[in-house]
Amino acid sequence: VESHYSLGSSFYESGKLEETVKCYERVIELRPSFKEMHNNLGNVLKELGRSDEAVLSYDKAILIDPNFVEVYFNLGTTFQELNQLKNAVRHYQKAIHIKPNYPEAHNNLGVAFKELKEFDSAIKAYQMAINIKPDYAEAHNNIGIVFRELGQLDDAIKSHEAALSFLPDYAEAHNNLGILLMEDGKLNNAIERFERAISIDTSFIEAFNNLGSALMELNQFNLSLENFQKALSINPNYAEAHNNLSFTLL
């Protein structure tokens, strides 16, 4: 068992996922009750895009240990990726039932509720994550996104600023704050945020597009054009940048 497990781990570290699966399956053949191995196999299958098989592996881990909290979390993320959001919610809630102080599960539960347009439930879930882990930058950023959806712009700005106070190089939070500042007419401040996001993540297509939009508002058409073109160099099929580019060229 140990040799197959070690070999599988080596394959995984080398990015050889198919070989990893074979080793982990061999370990399970030799020791069917090895719950962690069922979970690990599920994780690798999920990385390979074999989500249905991953779910089966996770389910086998739960049959061995019905309180295996990480597996419920992994099932939640898998169902979320499959857009089976109610299933995702159910599994995150199960993880939280077993381990109430599980900030990542509360945060992901919030994301699932947000995607279901259940914004009040999303806010409660994000707030629980923040209560457990006050410096949880991702949860602060995520709750800010929901506040913006609800038109609570001051709360949204405070949330993104909180995220950046804990994680200054959080590109997505800079971009989200820039969007809010642009909506508030603070175009120069918005531009600073978009530029900061791009300096952190040079392939951040939305930030290039947003920077172009802010520059267009200031009638800086040449710079605006450059940023829309940069967005399209990253993804030539990015419809929003195409639309903005066409408008700039009018």
Side-chain angles (χ1 to χ4, degrees):
V1 169
E2 290 299 324
S3 61
H4 290 291
Y5 178 72
S6 297
L7 184 58
S9 298
S10 297
F11 279 136
Y12 183 77
E13 288 171 11
S14 303
K16 298 177 178 177
L17 300 185
E18 294 288 357
E19 290 86 345
T20 306
V21 167
K22 289 173 185 172
C23 289
Y24 286 176
E25 286 176 337
R26 182 61 180 149
V27 172
I28 288 166
E29 282 176 26
L30 296 169
R31 193 185 296 173
S33 62
F34 194 169
K35 64 181 183 181
E36 290 83 4
M37 191 51 55
H38 287 286
N39 181 54
N40 292 349
L41 176 59
N43 291 339
V44 180
L45 289 166
K46 185 179 163 195
E47 280 192 54
L48 284 165
R50 292 158 63 180
S51 298
D52 292 340
E53 292 172 76
V55 168
L56 291 174
S57 287
Y58 293 139
D59 283 342
K60 286 174 184 173
I62 286 170
L63 283 173
I64 298 162
D65 179 3
N67 291 314
F68 195 166
V69 65
E70 289 83 3
V71 178
Y72 289 105
F73 180 83
N74 290 337
L75 278 164
T77 62
T78 306
F79 284 124
Q80 200 157 359
E81 288 173 8
L82 291 169
N83 205 36
Q84 296 181 28
L85 297 175
K86 291 187 177 177
N87 256 343
V89 165
R90 184 165 59 85
H91 285 88
Y92 290 137
Q93 287 173 330
K94 181 67 176 175
I96 289 163
H97 178 74
I98 297 165
K99 183 181 175 183
N101 291 333
Y102 193 168
E104 293 81 9
H106 286 287
N107 177 68
N108 283 23
L109 177 61
V111 174
F113 276 133
K114 186 251 179 188
E115 291 174 4
L116 286 165
K117 308 292 185 189
E118 296 182 25
F119 295 129
D120 289 343
S121 295
I123 286 171
K124 287 175 186 172
Y126 291 139
Q127 197 58 63
M128 281 298 300
I130 291 164
N131 290 346
I132 297 162
K133 188 179 177 183
D135 63 350
Y136 195 173
E138 187 179 349
H140 284 288
N141 183 62
N142 286 339
I143 201 171
I145 292 168
V146 176
F147 283 138
R148 178 175 174 245
E149 291 269 1
L150 295 171
Q152 298 176 28
L153 300 188
D154 287 343
D155 288 331
I157 287 170
K158 287 174 188 173
S159 296
H160 295 311
E161 287 175 340
L164 290 167
S165 73
F166 297 118
L167 191 60
D169 287 341
Y170 193 175
E172 187 184 339
H174 282 290
N175 182 64
N176 288 336
L177 185 54
I179 292 167
L180 291 162
L181 291 166
M182 188 163 67
E183 289 175 354
D184 200 28
K186 297 174 180 174
L187 294 172
N188 288 316
N189 291 337
I191 285 166
E192 287 176 13
R193 293 296 177 174
F194 297 139
E195 287 176 338
R196 181 68 191 279
I198 290 163
S199 73
I200 297 162
D201 179 359
T202 55
S203 63
F204 197 164
I205 187 169
E206 291 85 358
F208 278 112
N209 184 64
N210 291 336
L211 178 56
S213 297
L215 289 163
M216 188 164 61
E217 291 280 335
L218 290 173
N219 296 323
Q220 296 185 29
F221 295 112
N222 288 338
L223 286 174
S224 176
L225 191 67
E226 283 178 25
N227 282 284
F228 294 139
Q229 288 170 333
K230 284 175 185 173
L232 290 169
S233 73
I234 298 164
N235 179 3
N237 298 316
Y238 188 36
E240 195 172 341
H242 274 293
N243 293 337
N244 288 334
L245 184 61
S246 300
F247 188 76
T248 307
L249 294 169
L250 288 176

